[in-house]
């Protein structure tokens, strides 16, 4: 990922977040330290560190930064709430039975819809669909779009909001 000093795009940050969170669907992080280690172990994070000058390299003792980390950490912290929202709008599909690619993309998009004021619902939906083209199969797009459309309508109408708000 040759950025040559350029700030990564939100799409590339979402793709990185997807890759880390997808990996965590096989081996979940049970602590924030384990989450940081999973993030630091991502090849893209290592590539970014290698491209940076020595003073800016990723130091595992330093808190991770950037949009990818914000999404990874946010999804990890709110996973139960996100799964509840996804489950509430997925007809005849339990979260445990969903494909890991689709569930990971749904979690990211629902997290952005519920917890990120800087991401419009339509952007979260579009980005999830674009990532499904890259990481999912042909059936992923329709499945993800249907659930996210229902979530977006519920958020817009006020029927769905983050717990405690």
């Amino acid at each position: 990922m040759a950025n040559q000093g350029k700030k990564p795009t939100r799409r590339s940050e979402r793709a990185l977040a997807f890759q880390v969170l997808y990996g965590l669907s096989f081996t979940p992080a049970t602590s924030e330290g384990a989450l940081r280690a999973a993030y630091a172990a991502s090849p893209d994070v290592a590539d970014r560190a290698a491209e940076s000058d020595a003073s800016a390299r990723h130091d595992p003792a330093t808190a991770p930064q950037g949009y990818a980390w914000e999404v990874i950490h946010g999804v990890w912290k709110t996973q139960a709430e996100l799964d509840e929202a996804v489950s509430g709008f997925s007809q005849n599909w339990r979260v445990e039975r969903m494909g890991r690619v689709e569930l990971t993309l749904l979690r990211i998009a629902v997290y952005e819809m519920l917890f990120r004021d800087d991401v419009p619902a339509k952007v979260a939906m579009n980005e999830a669909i674009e990532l499904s083209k890259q990481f999912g199969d042909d059936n992923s797009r329709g499945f993800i779009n249907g659930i996210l459309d229902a979530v977006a309508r519920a958020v817009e109408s006020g029927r769905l909001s983050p717990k405690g708000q």
Side-chain angles (χ1 to χ4, degrees):
M1 187 183 262
N3 285 334
Q4 300 171 347
K6 291 183 182 178
K7 184 178 177 183
T9 64
R10 281 259 173 120
R11 179 163 293 162
S12 69
E13 292 285 288
R14 283 183 186 93
L16 173 57
F18 167 80
Q19 291 168 344
V20 172
L21 290 165
Y22 178 75
L24 291 170
S25 72
F26 294 93
T27 309
T30 56
S31 68
E32 189 166 325
L35 185 67
R36 286 179 186 212
Y39 174 76
S42 169
D44 282 348
V45 173
D47 288 349
R48 288 179 187 179
E51 291 172 359
S52 301
D53 63 4
S55 63
R57 288 196 180 179
H58 178 74
D59 176 2
T62 306
Q65 298 178 22
Y67 191 72
W69 171 252
E70 291 172 17
V71 170
I72 292 163
H73 188 253
V75 168
W76 180 75
K77 279 180 34 179
T78 61
Q79 184 172 317
E81 187 173 346
L82 298 173
D83 287 356
E84 184 179 321
V86 168
S87 179
F89 293 98
S90 57
Q91 299 174 354
N92 304 318
W93 282 93
R94 292 190 322 268
V95 170
E96 307 82 45
R97 301 228 24 229
M98 290 180 188
R100 290 179 183 181
V101 168
E102 293 77 14
L103 181 57
T104 302
L105 291 171
L106 287 166
R107 285 173 176 160
I108 291 169
V110 173
Y111 168 76
E112 287 182 320
M113 287 181 195
L114 290 177
F115 297 99
R116 298 292 305 210
D117 293 335
D118 60 332
V119 180
K122 291 218 180 275
V123 170
M125 290 173 62
N126 184 59
E127 290 296 316
I129 298 209
E130 289 301 314
L131 288 172
S132 76
K133 291 176 185 175
Q134 184 176 354
F135 297 108
D137 63 24
D138 291 338
N139 297 320
S140 296
R141 289 182 285 269
F143 180 74
I144 289 169
N145 189 53
I147 293 173
L148 292 181
D149 186 53
V151 170
R153 282 187 273 126
V155 169
E156 188 176 299
S157 71
R159 290 182 294 127
L160 181 63
S161 62
K163 287 193 180 351
Q165 291 190 5

